[in-house]
Amino acid sequence: MNLYQKALSSESDIHNNIPLTVLEFYSPNYRPKEPGFTIADYQPLNEIPGTELAIGSLVEVSSSAVCEDLYGVIRWIGIPPGTPKNVLVGIEAEDESNLKNVLTSDGKHNGVRLFTCHEGRAVFVSANRCTADRRFADVDNSIPASRASNNQAKKFGVADCPAIYGSVPPLEMHSSEELANICGKFKGIQGHHNSCYLDATLFSMFTFTSVFDSILYRHPGPQDIRNYSEVQKVLRDEIVNPLRKNVFVRSDRVMKLRELLDQLSSVSGLTCEEKDPEEFLNSLLSQIMRVEPFLKLSSGQDSYFYQLFVEKDEKLKLPSVQQLFEQSFHSSEIKLKEVPSCFIIQMPRFGKNFKMYPRILPSQVLDVTDIIENSPRQCSLCGKLAEYECRECFASLQTGSGLECTAFCPKCLETFHSHIKRTNHVSKKIFSPKEFRIMAEHMVVPRLYMELFAVVCIETSHYVAFVKSGSGPDAPWCFFDSMADRKGEQNGYNIPEITCVPELTHWLSDEGARSINETSTNDKELPEHAKRIFCDAYMCLYQSTDIMMYH
């Protein structure tokens, strides 16, 4: 009978003679009596003394046959009550499958909450059992290059992923044939452990467009956090530049960014948990890089993305993003103070499963003319400079968009509202710049458009992206999946893939979308990529090439 079996069979409190960490780490059913400690009895530390391991570090835990290959991220370090010489480490485990024989919790130790995670993922061990996760350690310079290369190849399938310094412009492809040359397996960003939300978003943001490049090059200011330059260098030199130059980023490079964001922002679990793109963007753009919000709302609020809020219209079988966009802005009674360089729009869905519309057509061009405050607008009837807006006339004309129908010149306003159904409508004056009013009789009122350049999609918690590989209506599209395939099981690696989708431009046209949706009424009948773009769209990203030049 071993020590643990004796402990369980004994009527006496023999547990007091066994080190607590041994019982915690090796006993599947042991639950010691909670001694009534409080958080004040624990002495927290920021790092494990004598090591480079700190809160947020990725570690592996040495053990016996009870549990092998235990990996995770440090969530808490400190000295527990009654053991002044012992340093205890709280770890959020990467994989629950290896914890069957280990005492786990949701972040509580002896009934005291030291951190929070999913039930069954927290493990507390002594500090001497923790070492840096070798899967994400940099190659040791003392190891011969050939051996180091072989080690990295075993871990990730591709050994070489050097940092690239300086400025590397985004890729631009002019034809499907040109795009096909950079497609294939081990292309894009390699996924690892729930990183798809971040991989798909980063690929969309930086591969083929420069709309976010100010993040890569802005010098730190007095308002920036101490680690600003460190995060910027990892993002630029180890992720974006290799992606643009070699069309591949290994997962350990991305893990460096995930660790930094996890440590420096209020968004926890970025190294191991399932997250949404907006959580990543909030961490990177708002809290770490302090990027100026793209959207300046007339309500006085600023934002990085816009959530579509609409009431479902049963008559709309295949609504476009343009239609939902206008409905949402009309119902919210807000406008934008200026045309943004980037417009990130979240689809009307709640959680990962509920979708308001089973299919949505991502509009290739987004007309933002009528939602810009104090911007010249056309009269919906005669095309001259509009001077009045009537919100009650939204979608009143059979032709034209919903918001476009709300703008009138004085003469057309009077004529249109002489109808008995519209005599009670209340209109308001539209402000137009004086300089434009002077020239209005001699020029056409311009409309303001933004171009779709990426669609991030989700299906069963897995994010992928469709990305336009250049600017203009004829630029080809590709499909990116950071975990398209996998080599090996638990200690294996994911294989990212970029696929050329030449049909996408046609599918996104009004005629192409109508045709494919009428002939394939069942989602299962749709071509695979068509199903993803129409049924699984989560976030559409638009850019203004004119405004980009000034940001």
Side-chain angles (χ1 to χ4, degrees), residues 507 516 520 523-534:
W507 289 341
I516 195 170
S520 304
D523 289 349
K524 294 181 179 179
E525 298 173 351
L526 286 169
E528 176 60 25
H529 289 128
K531 175 180 177 296
R532 301 301 293 268
I533 195 78
F534 291 128

Side-chain angles (χ1 to χ4, degrees), residues 56-73:
S57 294
L58 295 172
V59 293
E60 55 184 89
V61 181
S62 60
S63 65
S64 69
V66 176
C67 172
E68 61 177 297
D69 297 327
L70 176 57
Y71 300 100
V73 60

